[in-house]
Amino acid sequence: MTEIRTPLRRRPAQRRSAERVQRMLDACAEILDEDGYDGLTTTRIAQRAEVAIGSVYQFFPDKRAVAQALALRNLEEFERRVSERLGQGGFDDWSDTVGAIIEIFVGMHRSVPGFRVLRFGDVADVRLLDEAAENNSVVAARLRELIVETFGVAETPGLATALAIAVEAADAVLKLAFRRDPAGDPAILAEAERLIHGYLADHITAG
């Protein structure tokens, strides 16, 4: 998968340090759920993670960097779940994965701490994942790599454009679903799947 530069000032060299960083990210997620991005501070992260404030600054320059690391962790978990589901098969073609991918996203929104607020980073910065690309573009690129690898489809500019549009459209409709219902309005979630699947299926036919 495409590598994204880490927001860490330095990578933890020992297991204990790595665990401390994960506690900071867990603390960040909890605070986001409680008070949103505006309520997030490095002091609160240190207090919640039960580490010295110096430990936070040892690895992160500011709260944005902590949020970036959490958004990357969210993306990696999303990618892991999607890869696992695609590996199970049961799809006639790659456009039929839409329902499964949306289901994974919705599941994370409902159960992963901090995800409903941060997701892949837009609440902090539309280029939080990668300063060279918008967050949705990064997500679309990761999904494209998984689809190319799993289904053996050709890596073309047309595929990249179709998935970029699909991710943007899904993002907008899913936001609407969660504005209407904190758990995700079932009718709108169903419409999101119908909309995106129909678009991608048309792309395959047109191709």
Side-chain angles (χ1 to χ4, degrees):
M1 291 296 171
T2 304
E3 290 293 328
I4 299 173
R5 189 176 66 180
T6 176
L8 290 168
R9 274 181 157 158
R10 69 179 185 83
R11 293 183 182 275
Q14 299 177 339
R15 179 178 177 181
R16 185 173 60 182
S17 296
E19 290 173 347
R20 190 159 63 243
V21 168
Q22 291 305 312
R23 287 208 311 275
M24 294 176 202
L25 299 187
D26 292 341
C28 176
E30 291 172 6
I31 295 165
L32 287 171
D33 277 341
E34 293 169 6
D35 297 310
Y37 186 71
D38 290 341
L40 185 68
T41 67
T42 51
T43 299
R44 291 191 68 189
I45 291 168
Q47 291 171 342
R48 182 65 61 90
E50 298 182 341
V51 300
I53 187 67
S55 291
V56 177
Y57 289 123
Q58 182 181 10
F59 294 101
F60 301 103
D62 50 33
K63 77 171 189 178
R64 182 186 181 280
V66 185
Q68 183 183 8
L70 180 61
L72 286 168
R73 189 172 78 172
N74 287 343
L75 178 60
E76 289 167 2
E77 177 60 15
F78 176 70
E79 193 176 316
R80 185 194 67 77
R81 294 187 187 195
V82 171
S83 179
E84 183 178 274
R85 178 62 189 88
L86 297 190
Q88 293 171 2
F91 306 105
D92 290 334
D93 59 57
W94 65 265
S95 69
D96 293 334
T97 64
V98 171
I101 293 172
I102 289 177
E103 184 178 350
I104 289 167
F105 180 90
V106 171
M108 290 183 65
H109 198 287
R110 291 170 176 167
S111 65
V112 174
F115 189 83
R116 67 179 178 82
V117 175
L118 184 65
R119 306 198 323 164
F120 302 120
D122 280 12
V123 69
D125 188 334
V126 295
R127 291 179 181 264
L128 189 66
L129 291 173
D130 185 344
E131 63 183 21
E134 293 186 354
N135 300 327
N136 280 347
S137 296
V138 175
V139 174
R142 293 298 182 93
L143 289 175
R144 187 176 74 249
E145 289 176 23
L146 286 172
I147 286 168
V148 167
E149 179 183 342
T150 304
F151 294 94
V153 298
E155 175 76 271
T156 64
L159 176 65
T161 299
L163 285 171
I165 291 171
V167 168
E168 289 290 345
D171 182 50
V173 180
L174 291 172
K175 283 177 179 174
L176 175 61
F178 287 107
R179 284 202 304 272
R180 295 282 181 86
D181 181 341
D185 184 293
I188 296 178
L189 292 176
E191 285 301 295
E193 179 180 349
R194 188 170 72 90
L195 173 71
I196 305 306
H197 180 266
Y199 167 71
L200 291 176
D202 284 346
H203 169 78
I204 291 172
T205 302

